[in-house]
Amino acid sequence: MVEHILSILIFFPALAAVLGFVVHKDSVRSYGVAVATIEFMLSMWLWLVFDPTLSGMQFVEQIALVPTFGINYIVGVDGISLFIVILAAFFTMLGIASLGETKNIKNMIITLLFLQMTMVGVFLALDAIVFYVFWELSLVPMLYLIGAWGGPLRIYASVKFFLYTFTGSLVMLVGMLFMAYLYHRTTGNWSFSILEWYRLQLPFEYQIWLFLAFFVGFAIKVPMFPFHTWLPYAHGQAPTIGSVILAAILLKMGTYAFIRFSLPLFPDASVYFMYPIAVLAIIMIIYTAMVAYAQKDIKQVVAYSSVSHMGVIVLGTFALNVEGITGSIFLMIAHGVVSGALFLLVGVIYDRRHTKLMSEFGGLASVMPRYATIFGIMMMASVGLPLTINFVGEFMSLLGFYKQSHILTLLAGVAIIVGAIYMLTAYKKMFFGVVTKDENRNLPDVNKTELLALIPLAIVTVWLGVYPKVLLEPISTSVKPLVEFMHEKAITAEAKARISTMAVKVDNTKIPTGEAH
């Protein structure tokens, strides 16, 4: 069974979703929790049997789909993707367990299980076409979640989300097809295997155009400035579980894809575009932080905050060294935990008051002390308080980029301070002072179901802030040969110089070639 664990992780939720159609609506919530819990336990088993000392792909499975064109079902896992898969399983389980939704609950749980299949598939796929299929399929359940259970502007938000991401994906598909053509022209064989594409030595001009084709698809998904405008609408109109999954997992698809595709395939182009992308990332951090400060709706504050933190992840990714990339992957996990928890917390207060306007609150700390405490922990983690999970990822990402540009890193670091300003201001408006609204005087504090989701997130936030080594070591083991491979593959002197600033040899290990360990 262990040799097929990745396929089980991908398709078990989809199979369970199909069977869910025959489950009685009164039992479907328990059914969904049971399925999601089994999936999470399988992901933890994957971590248990995963060898953190190996840098290559593990548990690789390959099945021919269209042999004539080299399209195969290939999946594998390494330190870069392992913890994002666990995060996806973790949040699906917590999200279904804490669902406050009552309208069409059966359809929602089935949709969430299908969405989980697509998310796990994206992070495990090693064939470009299989990757693309999962990438595109993830749009459908998310579109349905926003459109069926969203707010008053849900149709506009869901259509805008779909059009932005689908358009970017089409440009990315053109890049993938051209990569396959180049591989065929070079070797005489068709292949969409990402690991085989790594071996291609592309001319600089080809790298530039292909990098841009992939960049459009990935940047919209992140979303990077100026492609970010779909996200606040999607978050604002989505139901709580939709916002949680979107922030915790779906946004990570873009930054993960940069590391899996753009950096090893186009090392020279990655260096060439390093500073422009860094500038865009810093604009993301500063601009969205200022917009977050101006918001009156607490959910919009968290939404724009999410975009701002994604800018730090992009900055770490394009540091092109071990510290930066390791930090960016760790920050993907951290951002998922913290932003997911904050959206759950916003959902808690919205269920009670049916408003997200901060002006409608005030003095909640005296009415809902447990809620205020957990919100305070997550808010402090969001602003990067030392000994919380975000601090580790932000520090390493900025440390990595500091080796490329002191000034840009300083700008990014100062911009992060703005995050502390708007989050502390929002917390003050909602929780401190006297209770001014009569509707807030008798609000019930968080119940057992809500605590079931929030307490594990608070524990993870502090645990990985104090002891990040348990994640950093496996991630770093896979990142080091990636950086070394980029350095060896680069053809321009500038790229070799930039990438080699932190290139580290690991027992002469080269990029994984796809063999199972």
Side-chain angles (χ1 to χ4, degrees):
M1 181 177 172
V2 69
E3 63 268 19
H4 299 297
I5 187 170
L6 301 187
S7 293
I8 294 170
L9 277 167
I10 294 171
F11 296 111
F12 171 67
L15 177 63
V18 172
L19 295 176
F21 283 110
V22 300
V23 176
H24 193 274
K25 64 179 181 178
D26 294 338
S27 307
V28 75
R29 187 187 298 268
S30 301
Y31 175 77
V33 171
V35 170
T37 303
I38 293 170
E39 176 79 356
F40 176 65
M41 297 308 294
L42 285 170
S43 72
M44 294 302 289
W45 183 38
L46 174 64
W47 188 5
L48 186 66
V49 295
F50 181 85
D51 188 341
T53 64
L54 298 176
S55 61
M57 290 291 171
Q58 301 183 39
F59 309 108
V60 173
E61 296 178 53
Q62 181 165 337
I63 301 171
L65 297 178
V66 188
T68 309
F69 290 102
I71 300 173
N72 301 289
Y73 169 79
I74 312 174
V75 292
V77 66
D78 62 359
I80 295 170
S81 54
L82 171 66
F83 298 108
I84 311 179
V85 170
I86 294 172
L87 187 72
F90 186 49
F91 263 102
T92 306
M93 179 183 69
L94 293 184
I96 294 177
S98 62
L99 268 182
E101 193 71 44
T102 54
K103 173 185 152 189
N104 293 331
I105 185 69
K106 181 174 180 176
N107 291 347
M108 177 176 270
I109 288 175
I110 290 171
T111 303
L112 288 170
L113 293 176
F114 273 120
L115 181 59
Q116 184 171 24
M117 174 201 71
T118 63
M119 293 187 299
V120 175
V122 164
F123 296 120
L124 295 179
L126 295 177
D127 180 275
I129 295 298
V130 174
F131 174 90
Y132 181 79
V133 168
F134 284 126
W135 178 280
E136 290 292 73
L137 282 178
S138 68
L139 300 182
V140 179
M142 197 65 211
L143 182 74
Y144 183 47
L145 275 177
I146 299 172
W149 291 277
L153 298 175
R154 60 185 180 273
I155 303 301
Y156 174 79
S158 56
V159 170
K160 188 169 187 175
F161 160 73
F162 183 83
L163 289 178
Y164 264 70
T165 48
F166 183 69
T167 303
S169 300
L170 289 178
V171 179
M172 178 181 75
L173 178 61
V174 172
M176 288 178 170
L177 294 175
F178 192 68
M179 275 295 300
Y181 164 74
L182 289 177
Y183 187 87
H184 177 261
R185 196 177 72 175
T186 305
T187 66
N189 299 312
W190 288 99
S191 177
F192 284 89
S193 167
I194 301 168
L195 300 176
E196 290 182 3
W197 282 2
Y198 285 167
R199 301 191 184 105
L200 278 183
Q201 194 77 36
L202 298 175
F204 181 70
E205 294 77 13
Y206 282 11
Q207 286 193 41
I208 294 295
W209 289 106
L210 284 166
F211 181 94
L212 289 173
F214 281 83
F215 176 81
V216 171
F218 301 157
I220 290 174
K221 200 76 161 187
V222 169
M224 289 183 67
F225 177 89
F227 307 112
H228 68 285
T229 56
W230 64 266
L231 183 67
Y233 282 100
H235 271 316
Q237 299 303 312
T240 297
I241 184 64
S243 292
V244 169
I245 297 294
L246 183 61
I249 313 299
L250 290 182
L251 301 189
K252 310 305 177 296
M253 289 183 181
T255 47
Y256 166 81
F258 275 129
I259 296 170
R260 185 65 79 207
F261 285 88
S262 301
L263 301 191
L265 287 175
F266 322 117
D268 298 279
S270 297
V271 171
Y272 182 79
F273 287 111
M274 178 178 67
Y275 286 125
I277 289 174
V279 170
L280 287 178
I282 290 169
I283 293 173
M284 278 173 72
I285 298 167
I286 299 173
Y287 169 69
T288 52
M290 294 174 69
V291 173
Y293 183 75
Q295 297 303 305
K296 298 177 181 179
D297 181 322
I298 184 61
K299 195 173 187 182
Q300 291 295 326
V301 172
V302 179
Y304 280 106
S305 161
S306 181
V307 180
S308 186
H309 285 101
M310 291 302 292
V312 183
I313 295 174
V314 172
L315 201 65
T317 300
F318 283 89
L320 305 180
N321 54 45
V322 177
E323 281 91 344
I325 297 173
T326 301
S328 73
I329 296 168
F330 188 90
L331 189 54
M332 288 184 215
I333 312 300
H335 176 271
V337 170
V338 174
S339 63
L342 286 171
F343 278 115
L344 278 174
L345 286 160
V346 171
V348 167
I349 198 66
Y350 180 75
D351 288 342
R352 286 157 173 73
R353 282 293 321 276
H354 300 289
T355 180
K356 294 168 283 189
L357 294 176
M358 291 182 283
S359 58
E360 288 293 313
F361 303 106
L364 287 182
S366 59
V367 179
M368 305 170 69
R370 292 197 298 271
Y371 178 74
T373 302
I374 298 172
F375 203 113
I377 293 170
M378 290 305 170
M379 183 268 299
M380 287 298 181
S382 179
V383 303
L385 184 75
L387 300 183
T388 60
I389 191 170
N390 267 25
F391 173 78
V392 179
E394 289 181 357
F395 178 80
M396 290 188 67
S397 297
L398 294 178
L399 177 65
F401 204 82
Y402 186 77
K403 299 176 186 302
Q404 302 288 9
S405 172
H406 298 355
I407 295 173
L408 291 177
T409 307
L410 182 64
L411 276 173
V414 171
I416 290 173
I417 297 172
V418 181
I421 295 172
Y422 66 71
M423 289 303 286
L424 290 168
T425 302
Y427 193 79
K428 177 186 175 184
K429 287 179 182 176
M430 290 186 64
F431 293 95
F432 294 150
V434 296
V435 180
T436 55
K437 303 279 184 180
D438 290 336
E439 299 94 324
N440 297 332
R441 296 189 187 280
N442 297 310
L443 288 178
D445 209 341
V446 281
N447 57 40
K448 291 179 181 178
T449 303
E450 292 159 345
L451 285 174
L452 190 67
L454 294 171
I455 288 179
L457 292 171
I459 291 171
V460 169
T461 298
V462 177
W463 168 50
L464 291 177
V466 174
Y467 188 69
K469 182 180 178 182
V470 67
L471 264 62
L472 288 176
E473 279 195 345
I475 293 172
S476 182
T477 300
S478 293
V479 169
K480 286 175 182 176
L482 170 69
V483 174
E484 178 64 21
F485 174 79
M486 290 173 62
H487 173 63
E488 292 181 3
K489 187 177 177 181
I491 55 178
T492 64
E494 182 190 0
K496 285 189 176 293
R498 288 288 181 189
I499 297 171
S500 68
T501 51
M502 280 310 299
V504 177
K505 292 269 187 188
V506 186
D507 299 327
N508 296 315
T509 306
K510 300 295 183 282
I511 203 73
T513 55
E515 68 272 16
H517 295 291

